[in-house]
Short mmCIF file of all heavy atoms in Angstrom, two decimals:
data_model
loop_
_atom_site.label_atom_id
_atom_site.label_comp_id
_atom_site.label_asym_id
_atom_site.label_seq_id
_atom_site.Cartn_x
_atom_site.Cartn_y
_atom_site.Cartn_z
N ASP A 538 10.42 -11.96 5.11
CA ASP A 538 9.07 -11.38 4.94
C ASP A 538 8.72 -10.38 6.08
O ASP A 538 7.70 -9.76 6.00
CB ASP A 538 8.01 -12.46 4.98
CG ASP A 538 8.20 -13.40 3.63
OD1 ASP A 538 8.47 -12.86 2.63
OD2 ASP A 538 8.09 -14.57 3.86
N THR A 539 9.64 -10.30 7.08
CA THR A 539 9.30 -9.43 8.17
C THR A 539 9.26 -8.00 7.77
O THR A 539 10.17 -7.51 7.04
CB THR A 539 10.47 -9.60 9.23
OG1 THR A 539 10.45 -10.88 9.78
CG2 THR A 539 10.32 -8.55 10.40
N ALA A 540 8.18 -7.28 8.08
CA ALA A 540 7.88 -5.94 7.65
C ALA A 540 6.53 -5.49 8.20
O ALA A 540 5.76 -6.27 8.72
CB ALA A 540 7.92 -5.82 6.13
N VAL A 541 6.35 -4.21 8.00
CA VAL A 541 4.88 -3.72 8.26
C VAL A 541 4.27 -3.84 6.94
O VAL A 541 4.77 -3.36 5.81
CB VAL A 541 4.92 -2.16 8.66
CG1 VAL A 541 3.61 -1.63 8.83
CG2 VAL A 541 5.68 -2.08 10.03
N TYR A 542 3.11 -4.47 6.99
CA TYR A 542 2.32 -4.64 5.80
C TYR A 542 1.15 -3.69 5.76
O TYR A 542 0.44 -3.56 6.79
CB TYR A 542 1.74 -6.08 5.75
CG TYR A 542 2.77 -7.06 5.40
CD1 TYR A 542 3.84 -7.47 6.26
CD2 TYR A 542 2.76 -7.74 4.15
CE1 TYR A 542 4.85 -8.36 5.85
CE2 TYR A 542 3.73 -8.65 3.71
CZ TYR A 542 4.84 -8.93 4.58
OH TYR A 542 5.81 -9.86 4.27
N TYR A 543 0.89 -3.08 4.42
CA TYR A 543 -0.14 -2.09 4.35
C TYR A 543 -1.02 -2.52 3.24
O TYR A 543 -0.55 -3.10 2.19
CB TYR A 543 0.42 -0.79 3.93
CG TYR A 543 1.42 -0.13 5.00
CD1 TYR A 543 2.76 -0.52 4.90
CD2 TYR A 543 0.95 0.74 5.89
CE1 TYR A 543 3.57 0.16 5.84
CE2 TYR A 543 1.81 1.32 6.88
CZ TYR A 543 3.17 0.97 6.81
OH TYR A 543 4.10 1.60 7.63
N CYS A 544 -2.31 -2.42 3.35
CA CYS A 544 -3.25 -2.48 2.23
C CYS A 544 -3.47 -1.09 1.67
O CYS A 544 -3.42 -0.16 2.41
CB CYS A 544 -4.57 -3.23 2.64
SG CYS A 544 -5.59 -2.44 3.78
N ALA A 545 -3.78 -1.13 0.40
CA ALA A 545 -3.91 0.21 -0.30
C ALA A 545 -4.98 -0.05 -1.42
O ALA A 545 -5.33 -1.08 -1.80
CB ALA A 545 -2.58 0.65 -0.84
N ALA A 546 -5.52 1.10 -1.81
CA ALA A 546 -6.43 1.15 -2.99
C ALA A 546 -6.11 2.23 -3.95
O ALA A 546 -5.59 3.25 -3.63
CB ALA A 546 -7.84 1.32 -2.41
N THR A 547 -6.47 1.92 -5.21
CA THR A 547 -6.20 2.78 -6.35
C THR A 547 -7.07 2.54 -7.55
O THR A 547 -7.57 1.44 -7.69
CB THR A 547 -4.75 2.66 -6.78
OG1 THR A 547 -4.41 3.68 -7.77
CG2 THR A 547 -4.42 1.24 -7.37
N THR A 548 -7.34 3.62 -8.34
CA THR A 548 -7.91 3.42 -9.61
C THR A 548 -6.91 3.28 -10.76
O THR A 548 -7.36 3.11 -11.86
CB THR A 548 -8.89 4.57 -9.88
OG1 THR A 548 -8.16 5.83 -9.84
CG2 THR A 548 -9.99 4.64 -8.86
N TRP A 549 -5.66 3.44 -10.39
CA TRP A 549 -4.59 3.38 -11.40
C TRP A 549 -4.18 1.92 -11.58
O TRP A 549 -4.30 1.11 -10.74
CB TRP A 549 -3.37 4.21 -10.99
CG TRP A 549 -3.62 5.69 -11.03
CD1 TRP A 549 -4.06 6.46 -9.96
CD2 TRP A 549 -3.35 6.57 -12.01
NE1 TRP A 549 -4.14 7.77 -10.27
CE2 TRP A 549 -3.69 7.90 -11.57
CE3 TRP A 549 -2.87 6.45 -13.37
CZ2 TRP A 549 -3.59 9.02 -12.37
CZ3 TRP A 549 -2.77 7.61 -14.15
CH2 TRP A 549 -3.09 8.79 -13.66
N GLY A 550 -3.59 1.70 -12.72
CA GLY A 550 -2.99 0.46 -12.92
C GLY A 550 -1.50 0.38 -12.39
O GLY A 550 -1.03 1.42 -11.86
N GLY A 551 -0.98 -0.74 -12.52
CA GLY A 551 0.51 -0.86 -12.01
C GLY A 551 0.67 -1.21 -10.56
O GLY A 551 -0.32 -1.42 -9.88
N THR A 552 1.94 -1.17 -10.13
CA THR A 552 2.23 -1.58 -8.79
C THR A 552 3.01 -0.50 -7.99
O THR A 552 3.52 -0.81 -6.93
CB THR A 552 3.12 -2.93 -8.79
OG1 THR A 552 4.25 -2.62 -9.59
CG2 THR A 552 2.26 -4.01 -9.45
N ALA A 553 3.21 0.56 -8.53
CA ALA A 553 3.91 1.69 -7.82
C ALA A 553 3.14 2.20 -6.63
O ALA A 553 2.04 2.60 -6.70
CB ALA A 553 4.32 2.78 -8.76
N ALA A 554 3.76 2.19 -5.42
CA ALA A 554 3.17 2.72 -4.21
C ALA A 554 2.72 4.10 -4.32
O ALA A 554 1.59 4.42 -3.87
CB ALA A 554 4.20 2.55 -3.08
N ARG A 555 3.36 4.92 -5.11
CA ARG A 555 3.00 6.39 -5.15
C ARG A 555 1.70 6.56 -5.92
O ARG A 555 1.09 7.64 -5.80
CB ARG A 555 4.17 7.20 -5.91
CG ARG A 555 4.39 6.73 -7.35
CD ARG A 555 5.44 7.60 -7.97
NE ARG A 555 5.69 7.12 -9.34
CZ ARG A 555 6.49 6.15 -9.71
NH1 ARG A 555 7.17 5.47 -8.74
NH2 ARG A 555 6.70 5.82 -10.99
N ASN A 556 1.23 5.58 -6.62
CA ASN A 556 -0.04 5.72 -7.36
C ASN A 556 -1.22 5.18 -6.62
O ASN A 556 -2.36 5.22 -7.16
CB ASN A 556 0.12 5.04 -8.74
CG ASN A 556 1.00 5.78 -9.68
OD1 ASN A 556 1.22 6.95 -9.61
ND2 ASN A 556 1.62 4.96 -10.60
N PHE A 557 -1.04 4.65 -5.38
CA PHE A 557 -2.09 4.21 -4.70
C PHE A 557 -2.63 5.36 -3.79
O PHE A 557 -1.85 6.00 -3.04
CB PHE A 557 -1.72 2.96 -3.74
CG PHE A 557 -1.76 1.71 -4.54
CD1 PHE A 557 -0.83 1.46 -5.52
CD2 PHE A 557 -2.71 0.80 -4.27
CE1 PHE A 557 -0.79 0.26 -6.24
CE2 PHE A 557 -2.72 -0.44 -4.99
CZ PHE A 557 -1.71 -0.62 -5.95
N ASN A 558 -3.92 5.68 -3.83
CA ASN A 558 -4.54 6.81 -3.27
C ASN A 558 -4.77 6.69 -1.72
O ASN A 558 -4.70 7.65 -1.08
CB ASN A 558 -5.76 7.18 -3.94
CG ASN A 558 -5.76 7.15 -5.46
OD1 ASN A 558 -5.59 6.23 -6.19
ND2 ASN A 558 -5.57 8.52 -6.00
N PHE A 559 -5.19 5.54 -1.29
CA PHE A 559 -5.66 5.31 0.06
C PHE A 559 -4.92 4.13 0.68
O PHE A 559 -4.62 3.07 0.01
CB PHE A 559 -7.19 5.00 0.08
CG PHE A 559 -7.94 6.08 -0.60
CD1 PHE A 559 -8.34 5.98 -1.87
CD2 PHE A 559 -8.37 7.19 0.13
CE1 PHE A 559 -9.08 7.02 -2.52
CE2 PHE A 559 -9.09 8.24 -0.44
CZ PHE A 559 -9.50 8.07 -1.81
N TRP A 560 -4.61 4.26 1.95
CA TRP A 560 -3.73 3.36 2.63
C TRP A 560 -4.34 3.04 4.09
O TRP A 560 -4.96 3.95 4.73
CB TRP A 560 -2.34 3.88 2.87
CG TRP A 560 -1.60 4.07 1.56
CD1 TRP A 560 -1.69 5.12 0.78
CD2 TRP A 560 -0.60 3.16 1.01
NE1 TRP A 560 -0.88 4.96 -0.36
CE2 TRP A 560 -0.23 3.80 -0.21
CE3 TRP A 560 -0.14 1.99 1.45
CZ2 TRP A 560 0.75 3.10 -0.99
CZ3 TRP A 560 0.83 1.35 0.65
CH2 TRP A 560 1.17 1.91 -0.55
N GLY A 561 -4.15 1.81 4.43
CA GLY A 561 -4.46 1.42 5.88
C GLY A 561 -3.39 1.89 6.74
O GLY A 561 -2.29 2.42 6.31
N GLN A 562 -3.43 1.48 8.03
CA GLN A 562 -2.49 1.95 9.03
C GLN A 562 -1.29 1.03 9.21
O GLN A 562 -0.29 1.44 9.80
CB GLN A 562 -3.15 2.08 10.45
CG GLN A 562 -3.37 0.80 11.17
CD GLN A 562 -4.31 -0.19 10.66
OE1 GLN A 562 -5.13 0.20 9.74
NE2 GLN A 562 -4.44 -1.32 11.12
N GLY A 563 -1.34 -0.07 8.60
CA GLY A 563 -0.24 -1.09 8.61
C GLY A 563 -0.38 -2.07 9.75
O GLY A 563 -0.94 -1.83 10.83
N THR A 564 0.07 -3.27 9.54
CA THR A 564 0.13 -4.26 10.56
C THR A 564 1.54 -4.95 10.54
O THR A 564 2.00 -5.31 9.41
CB THR A 564 -1.02 -5.29 10.41
OG1 THR A 564 -1.06 -6.22 11.42
CG2 THR A 564 -1.01 -6.07 9.10
N GLN A 565 2.07 -5.23 11.64
CA GLN A 565 3.45 -5.77 11.76
C GLN A 565 3.38 -7.25 11.58
O GLN A 565 2.62 -7.94 12.32
CB GLN A 565 4.15 -5.42 13.11
CG GLN A 565 5.43 -5.96 13.34
CD GLN A 565 6.50 -5.40 12.40
OE1 GLN A 565 6.55 -4.17 12.29
NE2 GLN A 565 7.36 -6.18 11.85
N VAL A 566 4.23 -7.77 10.68
CA VAL A 566 4.44 -9.18 10.55
C VAL A 566 5.97 -9.42 10.89
O VAL A 566 6.84 -8.88 10.25
CB VAL A 566 4.12 -9.72 9.13
CG1 VAL A 566 4.58 -11.15 9.05
CG2 VAL A 566 2.67 -9.53 8.82
#
């Protein structure tokens, strides 16, 4: 599970990262 974790927002359906419009800066886990 070790990774940089990002939250994101989208008006699109699905789970593809490329379709998420807005992103946080990330937090290390």
Side-chain angles (χ1 to χ4, degrees):
D538 295 318
T539 296
V541 177
Y542 283 71
Y543 301 88
C544 65
T547 184
T548 57
W549 293 89
T552 60
R555 65 180 179 273
N556 291 332
F557 280 71
N558 308 78
F559 302 96
W560 294 83
Q562 81 287 354
T564 185
Q565 177 70 47
V566 173

